[in-house]
Amino acid sequence: MAYEVTATRRRPQRFEDLAGQEFVAETLKNSIKSSQIAHAYLFAGPRGCGKTSTARILAKALNCQATDGPNPEPCGKCDSCRAITASSSLDVFEIDGASNTSVNDVRQIKDEVMYPAASARYKIYIIDEVHMLSNSAFNALLKTIEEPPSHVIFIFATTELQKVPATIKSRCQQYNFRLVSIDKIKELLEDACIELNIQADSESLYWIAKESGGSVRDSYTLFDQVVAFSDGKITYQKIRDKLGILGIERLNELFEKAVEKKTEETLNILDSLLQSGISVEQIISNSTEYLRSLMLIKSGVTKESLLGKSPERFSQTVLESWSGVQIERALSLFLQLYRDIRYSLSPRYELELAFSKTCWLSEYVSPSEVKIAIEKASALLAKAPVSQSGSLSDTNSVRPSADFSSASQINENSSNIGSYSDTKGAFAGNISQSNNESSSTDSLARDNSAGESSSASPFNASSSPAHSENQENDQDGEMPHFALFDRLKKENQNPFPKGGALPPEKTAAATNTDFSDYDSEYSYAPDDYPDEESEESQDELYEERINEQVREESTEENAGQSSNQIYSEDSHESGDILQSPDGFSISAGKIFGTLAAELSVQNPMLASALMKTKKWHVSANTVQTSINTEYQKNYIEQNSQEIKQMLAVICKMPVDFKIIYEEEKIEKKQEELPVQVKLLCTAFKGTVTGGKL
């Protein structure tokens, strides 16, 4: 007996044998039992899923001679059934639509349908790949399939349903065939192994089933190829070696080197694979499949039929080193690579570049992670410590870390910003005795004072370095000028080493006198020495700033004592009253206070944004407010649905919420001269004529 391929030998002969098409089989059997037989059928679906086999089974069921009428379970033994199985029946015509596309072929069918069947009940026309017919041929069939003779039945099969005209579809009963699951194909392959007395391991059969893509015929074809070189025992090792595919072990080794950032070793392994005869396309395909399995495992999927092999066989090093987002990024990289190599100068170069990028994939930061980092930074800045002058601490003193995940470290650094000695003696004790240290301190003071407002002073933490008990000897603080004068006066030192400015009456131009010994007679100009009144005024200024600092600290402490003060209703109260249909009334300020209190627990970021709004107004069933920050306005609008839901509960009626952006007009205040500039003006008898403070 001649050799018969597995796909032909194991072709289904009954409706029960159709794999994965239970709906189609059950529907056709019930229509035959109830004698509701259509005159035209259209079977559509992917290749190798049983369309032609179903058409033959239906033809045998309609013409089976074991019963007086159509038999839903054809016997397969009568003359009609055997003839249809052998494709030799005179009343069942199998026509290839790809080679009989012209209108003349259809005209021949129209002439033949007028004659009754030779020996069977029905004359059946099975047209495979019907979508290949020309438009003229389809038009010629319209009238025939709409009102055929009672003894004629048409069965069309196609893999491209979209190419079949709607006029044909509307005249046929349509059945959609589906791809067969991997588990079902594996069962069919196991039965084929038993039939042929062949041993096969589970992993090899899973690989064959997966490679078939859901097509039973493709799986049988690949199975025959594997059987030919397996010598009666199919193993995954033999498949890998003979067909030139990458095994799981090689892929694990390759990607382990990639996650360890060993680019040289990764590219060397890749070169050895290419030298062994594995094509670039095969490496891309296997790598993509491997990454897809890793993504499924990372998502919690452990089904062996989806992965193609046991989850334990995948490298735990790769799974633990890469996050789910990074694995998705790698998968996207290889999918794009497969699309790009078609137009590439060298597919190998593209592959090597992709693996080089994969070696640094651990450094990849997804947009969602960037968003989380920004939100953490935003939350941190919202709660940043306030300096003694009432402004945020100087960002020049401490640079924020690029890794915002370590919020505790940032808070620790931020807590040091703005720490400054609050006693007059402490300033005097931190005077630099070294010229280098002094110049460094002066330079830092100049840099910090460049961006200060008119309220900047030596007491402002933003204009001085951070200090702690352990840092006093490492970095000198900035001494107030009046304290410097006081100390130099007591030590009889000249605050102006060059003698300061000469009095006008003692200049050379006025007296024509030589003042070469001026430094020995005068330690400094008499007018430059601060008098008692100026000392008292500077001491008063010092005490006033200390008291201001104490008041600010007291205000900060009181600000956090009660949440009722944080979510005060007075600053948002407009006097408007919202009246619900059932008589319930509530003020605009009360609406804000209740909403802010609820959101402080459920959504603190949104509650913080609402705190920046201005007065709340109520009009009919609309609550409206404004804000002078466009970013926060957009953020509130994004969460408007949540706000509306909470307002409906608070107001006991559906309420609309609107927020508008109002640009804040800042009036420029006249800037006050810093203390250092005033002292310079006093020392050199000068005035400020311009420049930026």
Side-chain angles (χ1 to χ4, degrees), residues 488 493-500 518-519 522-524 684:
L488 295 177
Q493 295 183 14
N494 184 2
F496 301 100
K498 299 300 181 180
Y518 175 77
D519 289 343
Y522 301 95
S523 58
Y524 41 81
F684 294 100

Side-chain angles (χ1 to χ4, degrees), residues 363-419:
E363 305 295 332
Y364 172 74
V365 180
S366 66
S368 61
E369 291 173 327
V370 175
K371 179 177 179 293
I372 293 173
I374 293 175
E375 290 176 349
K376 287 183 179 179
S378 177
L380 178 63
L381 293 175
K383 299 178 181 179
V386 181
S387 66
Q388 295 174 359
S389 63
S391 62
L392 287 177
S393 301
D394 186 16
T395 57
N396 292 330
S397 300
V398 176
R399 297 180 183 273
S401 173
D403 184 10
F404 291 99
S405 62
S406 179
S408 61
Q409 180 181 358
I410 299 177
N411 288 331
E412 180 181 355
N413 293 337
S414 300
S415 64
N416 293 329
I417 304 174
S419 61

Side-chain angles (χ1 to χ4, degrees), residues 30-43:
N30 291 336
S31 64
I32 294 173
K33 289 179 182 178
S34 60
S35 299
Q36 297 178 353
I37 302 171
H39 56 270
Y41 295 90
L42 178 60
F43 295 160

Side-chain angles (χ1 to χ4, degrees), residues 464-475:
S464 63
H467 288 275
S468 65
E469 293 181 1
N470 297 330
Q471 295 173 332
E472 291 181 19
N473 296 328
D474 297 335
Q475 188 177 6

Side-chain angles (χ1 to χ4, degrees), residues 80-97:
S80 178
C81 291
R82 289 200 303 268
I84 295 174
T85 302
S87 300
S88 59
S89 176
L90 298 177
D91 297 316
V92 177
F93 304 92
E94 290 191 30
I95 302 173
D96 179 17

